[in-house]
Amino acid sequence: MCAHQPPCPPADSADHLAALILSAHPEQGWSLLCNGAIVFDDTGEILPDGRVVAVTRRPVMAV
């Protein structure tokens, strides 16, 4: 899917979020990356093979 050099990391690699954004939709809360992954503002993801990466939230620290 990636046609530029250097190529973006593949969607199944640990650094896949470093891929360039092809299409951003901030009003809807998601972006399509060059490697085919769809990332959501809440940190959830859908990979090109259909796998879903669950939302990762930081624990809230009590004051």
Side-chain angles (χ1 to χ4, degrees), residues 20-33 38-39 41:
L20 297 176
I21 296 173
L22 286 183
S23 181
H25 297 276
E27 70 283 355
Q28 296 176 345
W30 63 275
S31 296
L32 172 64
L33 301 182
I38 297 171
V39 294
D41 290 350

Side-chain angles (χ1 to χ4, degrees), residues 1 7 9-10 15 17 19 25 29 38 40 48 51 53-55:
M1 184 171 232
D15 61 345
L17 294 177
H25 297 276
I38 297 171
F40 297 93
R51 287 182 293 152
V53 178
V55 174

Side-chain angles (χ1 to χ4, degrees), residues 2 9 14 18 21 24-25 27 31-32 35-36 40 43-44 46-48 51 56-59:
C2 189
I21 296 173
H25 297 276
E27 70 283 355
S31 296
L32 172 64
N35 58 13
F40 297 93
T43 70
I46 300 175
L47 301 179
R51 287 182 293 152
T56 56
R57 301 193 188 242
R58 293 183 182 168

Side-chain angles (χ1 to χ4, degrees), residues 2-7:
C2 189
H4 54 268
Q5 292 298 322

